[in-house]
């Protein structure tokens, strides 16, 4: 192979690797945005909870899935919200994050995240108690 063909081949190969890398970054960013949007929806629903009425039960749930397993964190909520919709969104988020972690080979620390002891009502909103 003459030198000009070799340089052209190297240039073409470099361009293909660069474009492939850009596509991968774009796809990963899209996946991250999808997770972020779903979590924003979940958090907004949880924060719309009220607890100034004794007929509402206070609860908490773990959300997400770390690379090493276990929830990313916990959210407090009351039964004043659409609990069935909330639990469905939380389950969807967990499944989406598990798929994201596998797809992008995400790793995390394997430290134990302690669950809250309970939920209390503070200024009309559920709050986690550790």
């Amino acid at each position: 192979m003459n030198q000009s063909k070799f340089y052209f081949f190297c240039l073409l190969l470099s361009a293909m690797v660069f474009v492939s890398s850009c596509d991968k970054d774009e796809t990963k960013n899209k996946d991250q945005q999808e997770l972020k949007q779903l979590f924003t929806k979940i958090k907004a629903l949880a924060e719309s909870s009220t607890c100034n009425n004794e007929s509402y039960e206070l609860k908490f749930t773990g959300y997400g899935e770390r690379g090493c397993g276990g929830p990313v964190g916990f959210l407090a909520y009351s039964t004043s919200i659409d609990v069935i919709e909330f639990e469905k969104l939380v389950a969807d988020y967990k499944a989406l994050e598990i798929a994201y972690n596998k797809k992008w080979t995400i790793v995390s620390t394997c430290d134990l995240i302690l669950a809250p002891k309970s939920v209390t009502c503070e200024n009309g909103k559920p709050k986690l108690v550790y």
Side-chain angles (χ1 to χ4, degrees):
M1 191 176 339
N2 68 27
Q3 193 172 11
S4 63
K5 285 183 181 180
F6 177 74
Y7 287 132
F8 178 74
F9 176 76
C10 288
L11 181 63
L12 184 61
L13 186 61
S14 297
M16 288 172 49
V17 168
F18 178 74
V19 169
S20 173
S21 175
C22 290
D23 288 345
K24 185 177 178 182
D25 289 344
E26 188 176 309
T27 303
K28 188 174 183 180
N29 288 338
K30 183 179 174 244
D31 292 349
Q32 288 172 335
Q33 281 303 110
E34 187 177 0
L35 279 166
K36 185 177 179 180
Q37 288 172 351
L38 183 54
F39 182 71
T40 298
K41 188 174 182 179
I42 292 167
K43 190 172 179 192
L45 186 54
E47 290 175 350
S48 72
S49 295
T50 59
C51 57
N52 50 6
N53 182 331
E54 291 181 17
S55 64
Y56 298 131
E57 187 179 349
L58 300 177
K59 297 182 171 189
F60 68 87
T61 189
Y63 66 88
E65 184 77 9
R66 296 179 313 153
C68 193
V72 173
F74 295 90
L75 291 171
Y77 66 98
S78 78
T79 56
S80 67
I81 62 172
D82 182 347
V83 175
I84 293 171
E85 175 68 12
F86 178 72
E87 290 173 346
K88 180 188 176 312
L89 291 171
V90 170
D92 290 349
Y93 183 80
K94 180 178 179 176
L96 192 62
E97 192 157 43
I98 288 171
Y100 175 86
N101 291 345
K102 273 187 182 175
K103 181 177 181 179
W104 299 108
T105 329
I106 302 299
V107 293
S108 67
T109 61
C110 295
D111 54 335
L112 181 64
I113 296 179
L114 296 177
K117 291 182 181 180
S118 63
V119 180
T120 188
C121 187
E122 191 173 291
N123 299 320
K125 298 289 183 185
K127 183 176 179 183
L128 298 171
V129 177
Y130 287 92

